[in-house]
Amino acid sequence: MSTEVPCELPELLQSFTVAALRHRPRDLLHFAVQYFSQLLRNRNDGDSASGVQTVNREEPMQTDSETSEEELEGTISRDSTLAGMLILLLVLVCAEPYNPDEEEEDTEPRIICPKTDEQRRRLQEACKDILLFKNLDQEQMFQVLDAMFEKLVKVGEHVIDQGDDGDNFYVVERGTYDIYVNAKSGAMCVGAYDNRGSFGELALMYNTPRAATIIATCSGALWGLDRVTFRRIIQKNNAKKRKMYEAFIQSLPLLKSLELSERMKVVDVFETKMYKDGERIISQGDQADCFYIVESGEVRITLKSKTQRYMDENGIEIARCTRGQYFGELALVTNKPRAASAHAVGKVKCLVMDVQAFERLLGPCMEIMKRNIANYEEQLVALFGTNMDLTDPSV
């Protein structure tokens, strides 16, 4: 379902966008204030037609070729999707974003809401598919789960109301909830949550009032996370973590062939996993599902051969991987089962990428990885005194 758009909004957005694209202001927000202030003055003076022509002429468009206003208007009017994007852009520009780098060091005590084992089990089940939680490490996730509180709702109860200040982020455990937004004709239902999902994050992230009203249509249960914890853990910590991983990824020789934008996508898809001393990370003969980069600790790579006997039941050690080195790529490159096993030596932290993301994002690195297969085989010749094909699972 869609929200009723005020009839003057498309024309207003189009004229502002044309002006912004033509003049390319260095400070878009300042330009917008000037533009709409001038437009308002012109309307009050009964001369709204001159608004676009008199705003901020000092900011010329920095392009090699001049684009006419008619051409820009045509482009925008042909793309209906752009209108919706412009609405969102204006909302975000006008909002006061939360900048984790400017936040003072948190001195507030950690919030812990006691829960029974059964409540915690239900909470973990409700949160397992929430996108905002996907990139939290184990410690951060424990803090989030500790801070969340259960909220039971009744039929017809307003969970949040449009225009109110944001206080909590909510995860749906059970129940159905309608989403309403205010329009000229009254409140309009624009969607619903059905026993899953989450809402309320935008008001917390951008310091804006609630953008919609959420009403329970049956009795249900929600899990709430307060504003302070949301910002401290999900927003602030994730921003720091992203910045750290960007620098880490850029330092890896394997990924230097990627464009900056490609490396940023790689950062977004990595998950963090922790392993205890001696824990098996991958097993020889298993189907490949992930690619690993060691962030901290050390990983021992071992190989079993049907033609050799070894004192170590895990096989003979053929390599060790330390910070910045990767493993698990061989089976993904060759589309064959794992050729070796990997075990944690001490505590290990890895960045993990699933096979779909690996195939989608690391295509430019494939040649480097394939060349490394020859290096692996040379190492095995030195160990075993004979040639071995690592792509052959029968070794």
Side-chain angles (χ1 to χ4, degrees):
M1 301 180 66
S2 59
T3 306
E4 180 181 350
V5 178
C7 59
E8 68 273 14
L9 182 59
E11 182 179 354
L12 185 65
L13 286 174
Q14 178 173 305
S15 62
F16 169 72
T17 304
V18 168
L21 291 175
R22 291 183 64 208
H23 299 305
R24 295 288 178 88
R26 287 186 293 270
D27 187 336
L28 182 61
L29 186 57
H30 180 68
F31 178 83
V33 171
Q34 282 189 316
Y35 178 86
F36 288 110
S37 296
Q38 182 66 51
L39 205 62
L40 183 61
R41 286 193 295 270
N42 290 340
R43 189 186 68 176
N44 292 339
D45 293 341
D47 187 19
S48 60
S50 63
V52 175
Q53 302 298 326
T54 59
V55 177
N56 204 6
R57 281 290 187 183
E58 308 84 52
E59 298 284 0
M61 183 165 69
Q62 305 296 320
T63 58
D64 295 331
S65 59
E66 190 72 21
T67 303
S68 70
E69 185 169 326
E70 290 76 12
E71 288 173 330
L72 289 171
E73 288 176 341
T75 300
I76 294 170
S77 63
R78 285 194 300 270
D79 188 355
S80 59
T81 304
L82 187 57
M85 292 173 65
L86 290 172
I87 295 172
L88 177 60
L89 176 63
L90 287 177
V91 170
L92 296 181
V93 167
C94 294
E96 177 191 354
Y98 169 69
N99 186 347
D101 295 331
E102 296 178 355
E103 187 80 355
E104 295 183 359
E105 193 65 30
D106 181 51
T107 56
E108 294 294 324
R110 183 181 300 177
I111 296 175
I112 298 179
C113 299
K115 302 173 184 67
T116 64
D117 291 342
E118 191 272 337
Q119 282 181 311
R120 197 169 186 88
R121 180 194 61 77
R122 291 191 287 110
L123 173 58
Q124 290 175 325
E125 181 66 21
C127 292
K128 69 178 183 180
D129 294 323
I130 301 303
L131 185 61
L132 283 175
F133 297 161
K134 286 291 186 183
N135 290 325
L136 297 181
D137 61 32
Q138 192 175 48
E139 181 182 353
Q140 291 170 332
M141 193 64 204
F142 283 156
Q143 291 182 36
V144 167
L145 296 178
D146 285 342
M148 295 186 80
F149 58 90
E150 187 173 20
K151 178 181 175 65
L152 301 178
V153 295
K154 302 176 181 178
V155 178
E157 182 176 345
H158 287 224
V159 181
I160 61 176
D161 285 294
Q162 185 172 345
D164 286 354
D165 291 334
D167 51 359
N168 299 312
F169 167 69
Y170 292 100
V171 173
V172 177
E173 181 188 341
R174 67 176 188 274
T176 54
Y177 307 83
D178 283 344
I179 308 167
Y180 288 89
V181 295
N182 295 331
K184 283 187 176 180
S185 57
M188 176 179 294
C189 183
V190 296
Y193 296 97
D194 187 357
N195 290 290
R196 59 181 301 179
S198 60
F199 55 86
E201 72 276 11
L202 290 180
L204 305 186
M205 292 171 68
Y206 297 106
N207 283 337
T208 56
R210 295 294 194 189
T213 297
I214 308 293
I215 302 177
T217 54
C218 69
S219 59
L222 301 166
W223 290 97
L225 182 66
D226 67 278
R227 180 190 189 101
V228 172
T229 305
F230 180 92
R231 288 191 161 189
R232 178 173 61 84
I233 297 178
I234 297 179
Q235 207 160 347
K236 183 177 180 179
N237 288 5
N238 270 10
K240 288 182 178 179
K241 181 176 177 181
R242 177 182 173 85
K243 185 176 294 184
M244 177 184 67
Y245 284 162
E246 286 174 2
F248 178 55
I249 291 298
Q250 289 172 6
S251 70
L252 300 179
L254 172 69
L255 304 181
K256 285 192 180 296
S257 61
L258 297 179
E259 300 290 339
L260 177 61
S261 60
E262 293 173 324
R263 288 200 297 269
M264 295 304 98
K265 292 176 183 177
V266 167
V267 172
D268 289 337
V269 300
F270 268 126
E271 293 184 40
T272 303
K273 288 192 178 181
M274 307 289 293
Y275 300 95
K276 299 179 291 186
D277 182 33
E279 185 175 353
R280 181 175 295 176
I281 303 173
I282 60 176
S283 297
Q284 184 175 340
D286 284 356
Q287 291 300 311
D289 56 355
C290 292
F291 166 69
Y292 301 81
I293 296 178
V294 180
E295 183 184 347
S296 63
E298 193 173 20
V299 175
R300 180 171 176 255
I301 309 299
T302 62
L303 177 67
K304 285 184 178 180
S305 171
K306 292 182 179 180
T307 61
Q308 301 284 337
R309 292 179 178 272
Y310 303 107
M311 297 296 291
D312 188 345
E313 64 178 9
N314 292 321
I316 190 170
E317 180 177 323
I318 60 172
R320 292 226 174 182
C321 296
T322 56
R323 175 178 170 82
Q325 295 181 308
Y326 59 89
F327 61 95
E329 83 289 358
L330 180 61
L332 300 180
V333 172
T334 61
N335 293 315
K336 293 183 178 179
R338 297 292 192 190
S341 298
H343 296 81
V345 179
K347 292 183 178 179
V348 173
K349 187 176 185 180
C350 288
L351 302 183
V352 184
M353 179 186 293
D354 65 41
V355 61
Q356 290 82 12
F358 178 89
E359 294 172 346
R360 186 174 73 251
L361 298 176
L362 295 188
C365 304
M366 285 296 183
E367 288 305 315
I368 298 175
M369 295 181 186
K370 288 177 180 178
R371 288 199 299 268
N372 285 341
I373 294 177
N375 295 334
Y376 297 152
E377 292 174 347
E378 288 176 5
Q379 295 174 26
L380 292 181
V381 169
L383 287 170
F384 292 93
T386 182
N387 289 324
M388 297 183 67
D389 182 5
L390 277 176
T391 65
D392 183 355
S394 66
V395 298

